[in-house]
Amino acid sequence: EFWTMVGVAVLYGGELACEIAERLVKEGKEKSVEMSAHDMASFQALKLAEEPRIVIFVIQTVENDEPPESAGSCIRFFKRKTHSEDLLAGKMSFTVLAIGDSNLLLDRQTTTAKDCNKVGQALDTRLGQIGGRRFLPRGEGDERTGLTEVEPWVALLWPALQAELEARK
């Protein structure tokens, strides 16, 4: 079946997240890593809670600490209180790259990437709570500072992903 051959799935939520996800897939192909990008709107087709999978989530936080519309159903799915603590155990290895824009936080004096990435922070925490295995600590970027935090995280992603793929052989 197609989905079992996807390799590493990069799920994105938001336009900027889509650009980053497509770039990761392109770089992955150059490194001979089988990767594919998917809008979070179509996350159910990936059967994330059923089949073993390595997933990179690239998720934006938009106004009012909300996910982009296309990511809403995916985020709500993982947030469900009815999920068991082992829902993803032995199935999902993941990492999260959170993208925000501290320009949206006009009421604060000083803001950083930590302040504008609530959706990615919550998703990262929740995936761990329901049995997902984090193979790389969450990355956080801020559009206001030109996403300078993304490059160092991407540099860490490739060796961490390589180790995760080796462990599954």
Side-chain angles (χ1 to χ4, degrees):
E1 185 178 43
F2 170 72
W3 291 114
T4 56
M5 300 184 299
V6 173
V8 180
V10 185
L11 266 100
Y12 61 85
E15 282 177 44
L16 187 57
C18 175
E19 288 172 29
I20 293 170
E22 287 173 352
R23 188 193 120 195
L24 291 176
V25 169
K26 186 169 170 269
E27 285 182 29
K29 286 200 167 81
E30 290 164 9
K31 297 175 188 304
S32 302
V33 178
E34 192 65 38
M35 296 172 82
S36 54
H38 308 273
D39 190 319
M40 280 184 166
S42 63
F43 83 101
Q44 282 164 320
L46 287 167
K47 299 185 164 86
L48 296 176
E50 295 167 39
E51 298 178 21
R53 185 166 309 292
I54 299 172
V55 186
I56 299 166
F57 290 91
V58 184
I59 179 70
Q60 279 175 260
T61 297
V62 294
E63 289 88 357
N64 304 318
D65 294 337
E66 291 293 318
E69 204 171 312
S70 66
S73 60
C74 181
I75 297 295
R76 285 189 297 277
F77 171 79
F78 287 116
K79 274 169 106 172
R80 278 188 204 153
K81 299 269 187 270
T82 52
H83 287 321
S84 65
E85 287 178 16
D86 63 354
L87 178 76
L88 303 176
K91 296 186 187 117
M92 185 191 290
S93 295
F94 73 93
T95 188
V96 174
L97 175 60
I99 303 294
D101 185 352
S102 60
N103 285 320
L104 300 173
L105 307 172
L106 300 174
D107 56 332
R108 310 224 187 118
Q109 293 298 310
T110 58
T111 52
T112 65
K114 287 262 174 278
D115 304 307
C116 61
N117 279 302
K118 299 282 188 269
V119 174
Q121 291 162 354
L123 177 64
D124 181 58
T125 300
R126 185 63 181 148
L127 291 170
Q129 288 170 342
I130 56 176
R133 199 175 77 72
R134 190 177 292 101
F135 72 88
L136 176 67
R138 177 183 68 244
E140 295 182 354
D142 183 354
E143 278 189 76
R144 186 176 57 87
T145 58
L147 299 173
T148 52
E149 309 87 350
V150 172
E151 290 312 314
W153 183 85
V154 170
L156 295 171
L157 172 67
W158 299 118
L161 187 55
Q162 208 63 54
E164 189 60 32
L165 290 164
E166 287 298 315
R168 287 174 173 246
K169 280 186 177 166

